[in-house]
Amino acid sequence: MQRYTEPKVQWGMSLGINRYTEPKMQLLGTEVGVHARLSGLSDLPNWQFEGDVSLGRQKYTSTDTGNLDGVLNVETRWRALAPIYRTGAAGQEGLSGGLGLHTLWNDLRGRTSTNYAGYERLATQIWLPVRWTSANAWELEGGLLLRGTHTSRLSQANAANADIRNTQTNGTYLQANTRFKLDDGTSLSPFVRVTRLGDSDTVRSNGQSWFEPKSTRWQIGAVLNF
Protein backbone atom coordinates (compact mmCIF):
# COMPACT_ATOMS: atom_id res chain seq x y z
CA MET A 1 0.00 0.00 0.00
CA GLN A 2 1.35 3.41 -0.97
CA ARG A 3 1.68 5.83 1.94
CA TYR A 4 0.75 9.48 1.50
CA THR A 5 1.93 12.29 3.74
CA GLU A 6 0.26 15.62 4.23
CA PRO A 7 2.02 18.62 2.71
CA LYS A 8 4.06 20.53 5.27
CA VAL A 9 3.78 24.31 5.62
CA GLN A 10 6.17 26.31 7.78
CA TRP A 11 5.40 29.92 8.62
CA GLY A 12 7.71 32.69 9.72
CA MET A 13 7.79 36.39 10.57
CA SER A 14 10.78 38.66 10.13
CA LEU A 15 12.15 42.05 11.13
CA GLY A 16 15.04 43.72 9.36
CA ILE A 17 16.68 46.75 7.76
CA ASN A 18 16.54 47.52 4.03
CA ARG A 19 19.00 49.90 2.34
CA TYR A 20 18.71 50.60 -1.40
CA THR A 21 21.23 52.83 -3.16
CA GLU A 22 21.68 54.33 -6.61
CA PRO A 23 24.49 56.75 -7.58
CA LYS A 24 22.43 59.81 -6.56
CA MET A 25 19.84 58.50 -4.10
CA GLN A 26 19.11 56.01 -1.34
CA LEU A 27 16.15 54.48 0.50
CA LEU A 28 16.71 53.36 4.08
CA GLY A 29 14.33 51.93 6.66
CA THR A 30 12.96 48.97 8.57
CA GLU A 31 10.78 46.22 7.15
CA VAL A 32 8.61 43.40 8.47
CA GLY A 33 7.87 40.20 6.58
CA VAL A 34 5.71 37.10 6.39
CA HIS A 35 7.27 33.89 5.08
CA ALA A 36 5.86 30.51 4.03
CA ARG A 37 7.55 27.23 3.02
CA LEU A 38 5.56 24.41 1.40
CA SER A 39 6.93 20.91 0.80
CA GLY A 40 5.71 17.33 0.51
CA LEU A 41 3.22 17.72 -2.35
CA SER A 42 2.17 14.30 -3.62
CA ASP A 43 2.71 15.24 -7.29
CA LEU A 44 6.02 17.07 -6.62
CA PRO A 45 7.44 15.37 -3.50
CA ASN A 46 11.00 16.65 -3.99
CA TRP A 47 10.12 20.28 -4.65
CA GLN A 48 9.98 23.10 -2.14
CA PHE A 49 7.89 26.21 -2.73
CA GLU A 50 8.63 29.45 -0.87
CA GLY A 51 6.98 32.83 -0.60
CA ASP A 52 8.13 36.00 1.17
CA VAL A 53 6.22 39.28 1.49
CA SER A 54 7.96 42.28 3.12
CA LEU A 55 6.54 45.70 3.98
CA GLY A 56 8.81 48.63 4.80
CA ARG A 57 8.71 52.34 5.50
CA GLN A 58 11.79 54.12 4.29
CA LYS A 59 13.41 57.53 4.06
CA TYR A 60 14.27 58.75 0.58
CA THR A 61 17.41 60.88 0.27
CA SER A 62 18.66 62.36 -3.01
CA THR A 63 21.49 64.75 -3.85
CA ASP A 64 19.31 66.20 -6.63
CA THR A 65 15.73 66.23 -5.35
CA GLY A 66 15.88 66.36 -1.54
CA ASN A 67 14.35 64.09 1.10
CA LEU A 68 11.02 62.34 1.63
CA ASP A 69 9.92 60.43 4.74
CA GLY A 70 7.48 57.53 5.03
CA VAL A 71 8.05 55.92 1.62
CA LEU A 72 6.18 52.61 1.43
CA ASN A 73 8.08 49.63 0.04
CA VAL A 74 6.46 46.24 -0.69
CA GLU A 75 8.62 43.35 -1.89
CA THR A 76 7.59 39.78 -2.74
CA ARG A 77 9.88 36.82 -3.48
CA TRP A 78 8.54 33.50 -4.81
CA ARG A 79 10.74 30.46 -5.44
CA ALA A 80 10.36 26.84 -6.56
CA LEU A 81 13.41 24.68 -5.77
CA ALA A 82 14.25 21.06 -6.46
CA PRO A 83 17.30 18.97 -5.41
CA ILE A 84 20.27 18.85 -7.78
CA TYR A 85 22.74 17.02 -5.57
CA ARG A 86 21.91 15.63 -2.13
CA THR A 87 24.27 14.94 0.74
CA GLY A 88 23.74 13.72 4.31
CA ALA A 89 21.84 10.77 5.71
CA ALA A 90 18.55 12.70 5.88
CA GLY A 91 18.83 13.83 2.29
CA GLN A 92 18.01 17.42 3.22
CA GLU A 93 21.47 18.85 2.68
CA GLY A 94 23.12 19.63 -0.61
CA LEU A 95 22.54 21.68 -3.74
CA SER A 96 19.14 22.75 -5.08
CA GLY A 97 17.99 25.07 -7.81
CA GLY A 98 14.91 26.31 -9.63
CA LEU A 99 13.16 29.54 -10.60
CA GLY A 100 12.27 32.69 -8.71
CA LEU A 101 9.89 35.61 -9.24
CA HIS A 102 10.53 38.86 -7.36
CA THR A 103 8.37 41.99 -7.38
CA LEU A 104 8.95 45.41 -5.86
CA TRP A 105 6.70 48.45 -5.36
CA ASN A 106 7.90 51.83 -4.10
CA ASP A 107 5.39 54.62 -3.39
CA LEU A 108 7.38 57.83 -3.82
CA ARG A 109 4.32 60.00 -4.38
CA GLY A 110 4.37 63.25 -2.48
CA ARG A 111 6.60 66.32 -2.27
CA THR A 112 10.23 66.18 -1.24
CA SER A 113 11.96 68.71 1.01
CA THR A 114 12.88 70.72 -2.12
CA ASN A 115 9.31 70.50 -3.53
CA TYR A 116 9.93 67.85 -6.18
CA ALA A 117 6.98 65.57 -6.95
CA GLY A 118 7.45 61.81 -6.76
CA TYR A 119 5.85 58.78 -8.39
CA GLU A 120 5.38 55.03 -8.06
CA ARG A 121 8.07 52.56 -9.15
CA LEU A 122 7.29 48.91 -9.90
CA ALA A 123 9.65 46.06 -10.78
CA THR A 124 9.09 42.44 -11.81
CA GLN A 125 12.08 40.10 -12.12
CA ILE A 126 12.66 36.45 -13.04
CA TRP A 127 15.66 34.87 -11.32
CA LEU A 128 17.61 31.62 -11.49
CA PRO A 129 18.39 30.73 -7.83
CA VAL A 130 20.84 28.09 -6.59
CA ARG A 131 21.09 27.12 -2.90
CA TRP A 132 23.56 25.11 -0.83
CA THR A 133 22.29 23.74 2.48
CA SER A 134 24.90 22.42 4.92
CA ALA A 135 24.50 19.91 7.74
CA ASN A 136 25.24 22.56 10.38
CA ALA A 137 22.15 24.65 9.53
CA TRP A 138 23.84 27.12 7.18
CA GLU A 139 22.29 28.08 3.85
CA LEU A 140 24.05 29.95 1.05
CA GLU A 141 22.00 31.10 -1.91
CA GLY A 142 22.85 32.96 -5.09
CA GLY A 143 20.69 34.14 -7.97
CA LEU A 144 21.21 35.29 -11.55
CA LEU A 145 18.74 37.68 -13.13
CA LEU A 146 17.18 36.29 -16.30
CA ARG A 147 14.97 39.26 -17.12
CA GLY A 148 13.33 42.15 -15.33
CA THR A 149 11.10 45.10 -16.10
CA HIS A 150 11.01 48.38 -14.19
CA THR A 151 8.05 50.74 -14.57
CA SER A 152 8.28 54.39 -13.52
CA ARG A 153 4.93 56.20 -13.44
CA LEU A 154 6.37 59.58 -14.34
CA SER A 155 2.95 60.93 -15.26
CA GLN A 156 2.11 61.08 -11.54
CA ALA A 157 4.83 63.69 -11.06
CA ASN A 158 4.16 65.60 -14.28
CA ALA A 159 1.19 64.98 -16.58
CA ALA A 160 3.36 65.95 -19.57
CA ASN A 161 5.55 62.87 -19.03
CA ALA A 162 4.71 59.39 -20.22
CA ASP A 163 5.14 56.36 -17.98
CA ILE A 164 8.40 54.52 -18.70
CA ARG A 165 9.16 50.80 -18.75
CA ASN A 166 12.81 49.73 -18.79
CA THR A 167 14.23 46.23 -19.24
CA GLN A 168 16.94 44.83 -16.96
CA THR A 169 19.06 41.78 -17.80
CA ASN A 170 22.13 42.22 -15.59
CA GLY A 171 21.81 41.33 -11.90
CA THR A 172 22.87 38.99 -9.13
CA TYR A 173 22.03 38.39 -5.47
CA LEU A 174 23.75 36.52 -2.64
CA GLN A 175 22.18 35.47 0.64
CA ALA A 176 23.48 33.72 3.75
CA ASN A 177 21.45 32.56 6.73
CA THR A 178 21.67 30.12 9.60
CA ARG A 179 19.20 28.65 12.09
CA PHE A 180 19.11 28.46 15.88
CA LYS A 181 16.57 26.18 17.57
CA LEU A 182 14.75 27.75 20.51
CA ASP A 183 13.41 26.01 23.63
CA ASP A 184 9.76 26.57 22.67
CA GLY A 185 10.13 24.60 19.43
CA THR A 186 10.49 27.61 17.13
CA SER A 187 13.74 28.65 15.46
CA LEU A 188 15.45 31.93 14.66
CA SER A 189 17.18 32.48 11.29
CA PRO A 190 19.41 35.58 10.97
CA PHE A 191 20.09 36.48 7.34
CA VAL A 192 21.96 38.92 5.15
CA ARG A 193 21.21 39.48 1.45
CA VAL A 194 22.79 41.77 -1.12
CA THR A 195 21.28 42.38 -4.57
CA ARG A 196 23.09 44.21 -7.36
CA LEU A 197 21.50 45.33 -10.63
CA GLY A 198 23.28 46.83 -13.62
CA ASP A 199 22.09 49.66 -15.85
CA SER A 200 18.87 48.95 -17.71
CA ASP A 201 18.22 49.65 -21.36
CA THR A 202 17.45 53.23 -22.44
CA VAL A 203 13.97 54.39 -23.49
CA ARG A 204 13.27 57.59 -25.42
CA SER A 205 10.21 59.61 -24.39
CA ASN A 206 9.28 63.28 -24.90
CA GLY A 207 12.69 63.97 -26.37
CA GLN A 208 14.55 62.58 -23.35
CA SER A 209 16.44 59.36 -22.60
CA TRP A 210 15.39 57.39 -19.53
CA PHE A 211 17.11 54.43 -17.89
CA GLU A 212 17.39 52.76 -14.48
CA PRO A 213 20.92 53.19 -13.11
CA LYS A 214 22.87 50.44 -11.39
CA SER A 215 21.75 49.80 -7.81
CA THR A 216 22.64 47.86 -4.68
CA ARG A 217 20.22 46.62 -2.00
CA TRP A 218 21.32 45.34 1.42
CA GLN A 219 18.81 43.51 3.62
CA ILE A 220 19.77 42.33 7.12
CA GLY A 221 17.38 40.78 9.61
CA ALA A 222 16.06 37.63 11.24
CA VAL A 223 13.11 35.29 10.66
CA LEU A 224 11.23 33.63 13.53
CA ASN A 225 10.06 30.25 12.18
CA PHE A 226 7.00 28.57 13.73
Side-chain angles (χ1 to χ4, degrees), residues 10 19 34 41 69 75:
Q10 183 180 61
R19 181 174 184 262
V34 177
L41 293 178
D69 293 327
E75 180 183 12

PDB file of all heavy atoms in Angstrom, residues 10 19 34 41 69 75:
ATOM      1  N   GLN A  10       5.501  25.634   6.675  1.00  0.00           N
ATOM      2  CA  GLN A  10       6.167  26.308   7.777  1.00  0.00           C
ATOM      3  C   GLN A  10       6.028  27.810   7.583  1.00  0.00           C
ATOM      4  O   GLN A  10       6.282  28.336   6.499  1.00  0.00           O
ATOM      5  CB  GLN A  10       7.644  25.939   7.840  1.00  0.00           C
ATOM      6  CG  GLN A  10       8.368  26.572   9.018  1.00  0.00           C
ATOM      7  CD  GLN A  10       9.832  26.196   9.070  1.00  0.00           C
ATOM      8  OE1 GLN A  10      10.593  26.487   8.148  1.00  0.00           O
ATOM      9  NE2 GLN A  10      10.238  25.531  10.139  1.00  0.00           N
ATOM     10  N   ARG A  19      18.317  48.704   2.867  1.00  0.00           N
ATOM     11  CA  ARG A  19      19.005  49.898   2.342  1.00  0.00           C
ATOM     12  C   ARG A  19      19.228  49.724   0.842  1.00  0.00           C
ATOM     13  O   ARG A  19      19.918  48.808   0.406  1.00  0.00           O
ATOM     14  CB  ARG A  19      20.341  50.121   3.036  1.00  0.00           C
ATOM     15  CG  ARG A  19      21.086  51.376   2.549  1.00  0.00           C
ATOM     16  CD  ARG A  19      22.330  51.632   3.382  1.00  0.00           C
ATOM     17  NE  ARG A  19      23.012  52.870   2.999  1.00  0.00           N
ATOM     18  CZ  ARG A  19      24.071  52.921   2.184  1.00  0.00           C
ATOM     19  NH1 ARG A  19      24.593  51.790   1.697  1.00  0.00           N
ATOM     20  NH2 ARG A  19      24.622  54.073   1.864  1.00  0.00           N
ATOM     21  N   VAL A  34       6.400  38.368   6.164  1.00  0.00           N
ATOM     22  CA  VAL A  34       5.712  37.096   6.393  1.00  0.00           C
ATOM     23  C   VAL A  34       6.286  36.091   5.412  1.00  0.00           C
ATOM     24  O   VAL A  34       6.459  36.403   4.222  1.00  0.00           O
ATOM     25  CB  VAL A  34       4.188  37.229   6.207  1.00  0.00           C
ATOM     26  CG1 VAL A  34       3.506  35.868   6.382  1.00  0.00           C
ATOM     27  CG2 VAL A  34       3.606  38.230   7.183  1.00  0.00           C
ATOM     28  N   LEU A  41       4.355  17.918  -1.451  1.00  0.00           N
ATOM     29  CA  LEU A  41       3.219  17.720  -2.346  1.00  0.00           C
ATOM     30  C   LEU A  41       3.299  16.338  -2.991  1.00  0.00           C
ATOM     31  O   LEU A  41       4.375  15.893  -3.399  1.00  0.00           O
ATOM     32  CB  LEU A  41       3.191  18.800  -3.426  1.00  0.00           C
ATOM     33  CG  LEU A  41       2.903  20.242  -2.965  1.00  0.00           C
ATOM     34  CD1 LEU A  41       2.959  21.183  -4.144  1.00  0.00           C
ATOM     35  CD2 LEU A  41       1.549  20.325  -2.288  1.00  0.00           C
ATOM     36  N   ASP A  69      10.108  61.435   3.695  1.00  0.00           N
ATOM     37  CA  ASP A  69       9.917  60.428   4.741  1.00  0.00           C
ATOM     38  C   ASP A  69       8.690  59.564   4.453  1.00  0.00           C
ATOM     39  O   ASP A  69       7.781  59.963   3.722  1.00  0.00           O
ATOM     40  CB  ASP A  69       9.741  61.102   6.109  1.00  0.00           C
ATOM     41  CG  ASP A  69      11.005  61.805   6.573  1.00  0.00           C
ATOM     42  OD1 ASP A  69      12.106  61.319   6.249  1.00  0.00           O
ATOM     43  OD2 ASP A  69      10.884  62.843   7.258  1.00  0.00           O
ATOM     44  N   GLU A  75       7.831  44.283  -1.102  1.00  0.00           N
ATOM     45  CA  GLU A  75       8.617  43.347  -1.890  1.00  0.00           C
ATOM     46  C   GLU A  75       8.058  41.940  -1.723  1.00  0.00           C
ATOM     47  O   GLU A  75       7.706  41.532  -0.611  1.00  0.00           O
ATOM     48  CB  GLU A  75      10.079  43.368  -1.450  1.00  0.00           C
ATOM     49  CG  GLU A  75      10.969  42.403  -2.243  1.00  0.00           C
ATOM     50  CD  GLU A  75      12.402  42.378  -1.739  1.00  0.00           C
ATOM     51  OE1 GLU A  75      12.666  42.929  -0.655  1.00  0.00           O
ATOM     52  OE2 GLU A  75      13.258  41.809  -2.436  1.00  0.00           O
TER      53      GLU A  75
END
